[in-house]
Amino acid sequence: MPPRAAALDLAVGPPKTAVVDILVAAFHREVRAALHGRLSEGAMNAVLELDSAAALERALTHFAEPLVVAGLRWPETAPFLATGRSHGVPVALLLEEKSLDARHAAFRAGAAALLPWPIPASALTRALESIASGFRLLPRRPSFTPGTAPLVTSSALSTRERELLELVASGLTNKSIARRLDLSINTVKYHLASVFAKLDARTRAEAVSEAARRGELML
């Protein structure tokens, strides 16, 4: 899927590298060099290059706001994704594949982004800034020409929004949800409106279905 969401639209300005520490992870030296080089072209600097999941595991304890960039093949990159996820750290995967959508195993496993490789430096910079702000990203179309596909952002549901949607999926009404979570009915409606907007859904059934398709909700 590309998520049905607004196209990537970020303010013009220098990359916000001060708020995140970018760690490049890949088993092969030439891949690390390529990823690091593309970051440098976009005026973003990687603080470390790591050649194993064990090295990443050790490194993650030393940074307050790490963001992992790994590539270029799946499932070769799976250990880096699993390690980052175990620490609650966003992991962007740059992959040499023709089909990158929400059905991809890496996205379902929690990757913050699936990005086509090669990717223009400017697009990579904008993507990482969005990831640092809490978004998840996919190419606009499942099939693309590497290096040219535009990106869309899919705002991840908050913990509270996911909690409400799970109750919606179980069949509870707004009133029942409010009672269960000790919230006002207006607060429930506010959160569900945000959920609907993020998922581009018009009905409760559409919201549940779309969240499940994106890997935001397990049914």
Side-chain angles (χ1 to χ4, degrees):
M1 148 207 90
R4 295 176 293 172
L8 186 64
D9 183 14
L10 300 173
V12 175
K16 302 172 184 177
T17 51
V19 299
V20 294
D21 295 299
I22 299 174
L23 311 180
V24 168
F27 291 112
H28 306 291
R29 180 182 301 173
E30 61 273 19
V31 174
R32 296 194 301 275
L35 295 174
H36 200 156
R38 191 55 50 91
L39 287 166
S40 297
E41 290 174 22
M44 302 189 88
N45 296 313
V47 296
L48 276 180
E49 292 185 14
L50 304 153
D51 62 1
S52 69
L56 178 59
E57 177 82 34
R58 293 189 296 270
L60 289 176
T61 63
H62 299 295
F63 298 97
E65 295 290 340
L67 191 162
V68 178
V69 175
L72 294 172
R73 295 181 178 86
W74 181 267
E76 182 178 283
T77 49
F80 297 119
L81 175 57
T83 300
R85 290 287 294 161
S86 70
H87 288 266
V89 171
V91 179
L93 298 181
L94 286 85
L95 301 175
E96 294 177 320
E97 296 188 23
K98 291 184 177 181
S99 183
L100 298 175
D101 59 30
R103 296 167 295 182
H104 195 289
F107 197 74
R108 295 183 64 84
L114 301 184
L115 305 174
W117 181 264
I119 184 173
S122 58
L124 178 58
T125 296
R126 294 195 306 273
L128 295 185
E129 288 179 357
S130 282
I131 295 166
S133 297
F135 289 91
R136 300 181 76 193
L137 280 75
L138 289 168
R140 187 182 298 277
R141 298 178 301 277
S143 298
F144 59 89
T145 301
T148 64
L151 303 174
V152 296
T153 57
S154 170
S155 182
L157 298 181
S158 69
T159 300
R160 174 64 84 183
E161 289 167 346
R162 193 174 294 110
E163 183 180 26
L164 263 71
L165 193 56
E166 288 173 352
L167 295 177
V168 168
S170 71
L172 294 186
T173 64
N174 287 357
K175 186 175 181 179
S176 297
I177 292 172
R179 188 182 303 115
R180 174 78 63 87
L181 299 180
D182 195 23
L183 299 173
S184 72
I185 191 71
N186 287 336
T187 298
V188 170
K189 290 179 179 178
Y190 171 82
H191 283 304
L192 288 180
S194 176
V195 169
F196 279 33
K198 288 181 177 181
L199 298 175
D200 193 21
R202 292 171 296 177
T203 67
R204 297 161 85 89
E206 282 186 6
V208 169
S209 176
E210 182 67 12
R213 193 158 66 100
R214 296 187 188 189
E216 293 275 13
L217 182 67
M218 300 302 294
L219 299 177

